[in-house]
Each structure stands twice: as C-alpha cells, then as structure tokens.
Amino acid sequence: MDVTDSKGETAFHYAVQGDSSQVLQLLGKNASSGLNQANHQGLTPLHLACQLGKEEMVRVLLLCNARCNMAAPCGYPIHMAMKFSQKGCAEMIVGMDSNQIHSKDPRYGASPLHWAKNAEMARMLLKRGSDVDCTSASGNTALHVAVMRSRFDCAMALLTYGANAGARGEHGNTPLHLAMSKDSVELVKALIVFGAEVDAPNDFGETPAFIASKISKLVTRRAFLTLLRTLGATCSLPPTQGAPAEYGSVASPHPCSVERAQPPAISLSSLELEDLVHVSRARKPPFLLSSTRDEKRTHDHLLCLDGGGVKGLVIIQLLIAIEKASGVATKDLFDWVAGTSTGGILALAILHSKSMAYMRGLYFRMKDEVFRGSRPYESGPLEEFLKREFGEHTKMTDVKKPKVMLTGTLSDRQPPELHLFRNYEAPEAFREPHISPNVNLKPPAQPSEQLVWRAARSSGAAPTYFRPNGRFLDGGLLANNPTLDAMTEIHEYNQDLIHKGQGNKVKKLSVVVSLGTGRSPQVPVSCVDVFRPSNPWELAKTVFGAKELGKMVVDCCTDPDGRAVDRARAWCEMVGIQYFRLNPLLGTDIMLDEVNDAALVNALWETEVYIYQHQEQFQKLVQLLLSP
C-alpha cells in the first residue's frame, strides 16, 4: 500500500478518485504511510479528496487517522477545501481538528479565512471562531484579499462579523486603498459605511482618494471622485515645477501631513479630467469637545426610535455618528429611550450595553435568518434571535437604567389600545389599560413579570410580516414614531412622583432626539377611486384604486414623519425643550424585509451623506448632550 506510481500516487490516491468509499475503508484498516503520502504535486489523499469535493472520502480518511496538518504548496487540506469552496469537506476537517481553523499555509502565511471565495464559506469559518482580522505573512487581513479579488459578498460577510474596515496591510494600505483599483462602487460604499477613512495615508503617504484621482478609466475615476466630493472631499491641483512650497510636493513622505494654503476652487468637470495629486476629506465633524457630562444633571434626555424593520440600520448609523462625535456610549447620553418595533429592539440593545457597531453587523446577519420564505414569515427565527441576544429568562425590570419603553398594540379589544412595555413601574394614576367596565378584558402583565424577548417580539409583530404575539400587534399601528407617547409617559411619571410627595425626584426634559429609519421618496398616484364597476375596464380601475387606497391608509396610519414630527416639534418649542429630528431621505423605497446587501449599503451610504450635510445640527446636539 506504500507503493507509488510515476506520479507519486499511492493506492489511497486512486481510491479517493474512485467511486467506492468501501475500498478506502479497506485500505485504511491497517496503518500505512501511504495514507499521508504526498504525490509529486505535494497533495496527500486528503488534499485530493478536498479538491474533488468528495465529502464521504474525507470522512473515511479522517476516521482512518489521515493527518490534517500535512502541508502542500497550496497549504493544508482545509486550505484546499477553501480554495475549491468545498464547504462540507472544510466542516469535517474543522470538526475533527478545530485548530485547523487557525492554520497558516506555508506559502503566504494565510489562514483558511483568507482563502474564502464566497460569503457562505467565510460565514462557516466565522461562526466557528475564526479570527476575522487575522493577518497573513504580508500583513493583509481576509478583508484585504476579498477586496483585491472583488468579492463583494465575501467582503460583506467579513464586515458584518466585525472586520476592521481601516486595517493597515501590506505597505500600510487599507482595504479602501485597494478598492480604488477595482471597478465597484458598491464595495467602496460598503467599506466607508463600515468605518473606513478616506483620508488615511498608506506608507507612501497616499490616501485612497489620491489613488482614485490617478485611475486611468474615466468613468471609474469620475464615479469614485464624485462619491468623495459628496462627503466633502477637498481637492488641490497637481504641483508643477516651481510651485509654491505651501502646496507640498509629491516627494513628501506624507503629503496629508503637510500644511497647505487653501487651493483654488476646482469645478467638477476639471476634476474629472485632471490627474489630481491629492484628494482628501474630513469625515468627522471637527468637534473639539470634552465630556463634561454630569451624573447628577438636573434635566433628562429622551431618545425616540421609529419602527421600520431592517431599516433600523439607518438608526444604528445615526447613533454610531452621535457616539463617535461625543465619545460617550448611547446608554450614558440618554435617561429615557422609547422604541417601536425595530426601534424597540434597538432600545433594548442600548439598555443591555450592546455597541451599535455590533448591532449593525447583527442586523445584516439576522435579516437572512428572519426574512426567509414568504410572508408572513415564521416567528421561530426572530424569537430565537431575540432570546439569544437578550436572554430567554431576562425580565424587563432586570436592568434599570436608562428607563426604556416599547410600544405595542393590544388587539384583543375594540378599539385597540396602546400598551407600553417598561423596565420600571408604570405611573399608578395612569396604569394601563384604562379602567374599563368590561371584566372580560384582561390587563397586561406587570413589568417585573414581562420577559424582554417577548416585549421585543410583541412590539415588532408587524401585520402581514409576522403573526401576532398573543394579543399584541406591532406598536407601529398606533405609534410608529413614539415621540409624543414617550413625552406623555414622562409627564405622567413626573406627575405621579409629585402626587406621591416625591417632587424632589422630578427631572424635566431638556433634549428630545427622534431618529427615523429613512424617508421614502414621494411618488405620484394616478387613482384611489373605488366604485361599482359596470365593465371589465372599470373593474380593473376599481381593483387598482382599492389597492392604492389601502396602501395610502396604512401609510397614513403608520407615517412617522409629516404631522407627527410637526406636532412633536411644536410641543417641545412651547415648553422650551430642544428637539432634534434626524431622518435621511432615501433615494429608493426600502422594504421592511429587504435582504439585498447592496440596497441596504446604499441606504447607509445616503445616511452617511446626510450626517455630513447636517454637521452643524449634529454638533449642536452633541454639545447639548454633553453639557451638565
């Protein structure tokens, strides 16, 4: 069994290429060096089985004690399985030897994650504990490789599992530096959305924007530079012989660090045609703020989060910007947090000290589990997700600070009634539901008896998307923008304290921040007329009109903008409360159950543009939140 042929192959190599695993079992009954013999290409039988994707052969070889740590020019067997995207083979190897997930191939010093060619293979390794930011011998991470190979889906999988979008690799290049040589606007947007800095220089002092300015393909250069200008890119003319010193020099090791005079304004047309030397921008507003937050401040801050399904990613991006500018976690910036549906889930995430960067990746990963099949979706995956994140037995009152309220709709009565899931006792004088003579209406459980995951599930039971959770429907039916209801609740809470003789504990609101999940563009509607048809043409018009009218009614009931915002702003101004409504206008209508990564990345890109364009508003907000 140790005899080799002219190619250096043993009987084990032949058995792997055959169709019968029983032959392989027969050969492996007795110990033989042929089991781990490498042929002239450096491949052992296990390498060959992984290359061919023969899972049963891999299983038998592993049972016969084939070694997983035999190196070939392409690496170990698991590297071979990753190279040819043989998921089953890779899973068997990792199952037999979990350390193989961290193995480095001898040629590049790369982990199996570096070899992943698609999102499925990358996720398989990441779920089993692969280091998402592990570096190769050249210093590159798996994200660098995915960008170099233009693997958008793979890059998205890595980013959603926490890959560092600003990691410095070979020659100090970040993934964004490498993306500039690829013709993929979606990839560039994704990296920036997940935190890549356009103005970060590599070891040669080149920023990604500088590299973009040298792209030879006009269409690509125009697209990338337009993106950068949208977020405030500042441009300078290329230096010429005898140019003033203040403009810097190409030979400067770090041109970004050289102080320059203000360059002359450049029109977009000349920007596209000139081979610019330097393009950079300041993504972060120039806040020179130190945290002066006082634990004993005399006024409260309220954060309100709209409903909107997976569009909660927009809220997350806005919160990340606020946290980045203030240097303080959301939990410590606000005393009250109100949320509806997806906003309720995020309110609970804030309560449980989960970072917004983590929640961003979690939303991208969770959507594919939850929105599977057709509507209404199975509730199981959503409930498992909520239990996993918040605990199966955690009660609403287990975490006290900040005070959190989630909206839900009690649908076991007519008319339905708004219910608030709280992590504090409801004001006694205003307990829900309101006193009713009907003894058949059962009151909801008290906060100390309500499970966190059930509260989140009830608040997010959007009709036609998920089945009701018992008698609860989505809170968005009555309060998709919970601002006014939250302000009412705080007033009632304070009035109750005064009634109990505890007026010294009352804190007035000073700041209200309302975050939306993105406004959809308005579109014209041709007909909302519903009438008794007299011919087939009128029947078609009636059906179309009924559909448009039904959609209009639902949109009006659940609209978080428009008059809902106007009323909240007016009430705040009347009582001297600072009110901030942050809600970017999206270019396309994003559905609550959108699963397309590119569409969601584009929505977050538009949110980034909105944040940049409203720098002054963010600056004022952060200053107020940090003041005692």
Side-chain angles (χ1 to χ4, degrees), residues 531-546:
F531 54 92
R532 182 177 295 171
S534 59
N535 57 55
W537 170 245
E538 286 191 345
L539 175 62
K541 285 182 66 178
T542 301
V543 171
F544 178 80

Side-chain angles (χ1 to χ4, degrees), residues 19 43 48 74 78 83 125 137 166 184 330 382 407 418 451 499 564:
D19 298 323
L43 305 181
L48 196 57
C74 64
I78 190 170
K83 179 179 180 180
L125 294 175
S184 174
T330 303
L382 175 60
T407 64
L418 182 69
L451 294 172
H499 179 73

Side-chain angles (χ1 to χ4, degrees), residues 185 212-213 215-230 268-269 271-273:
V185 171
S213 71
I215 297 172
S216 58
K217 189 176 179 182
L218 177 62
V219 175
T220 306
R221 185 168 78 242
R222 178 185 300 170
F224 286 172
L225 292 178
T226 301
L227 283 182
L228 302 177
R229 284 173 65 87
T230 303
L268 186 59
S269 58
L271 175 70
E272 294 162 0
L273 299 174

Side-chain angles (χ1 to χ4, degrees), residues 63-81:
L63 290 175
C64 294
N65 297 317
R67 290 169 57 188
C68 300
N69 60 350
M70 293 291 292
C74 64
Y76 298 110
I78 190 170
H79 294 94
M80 181 67 81

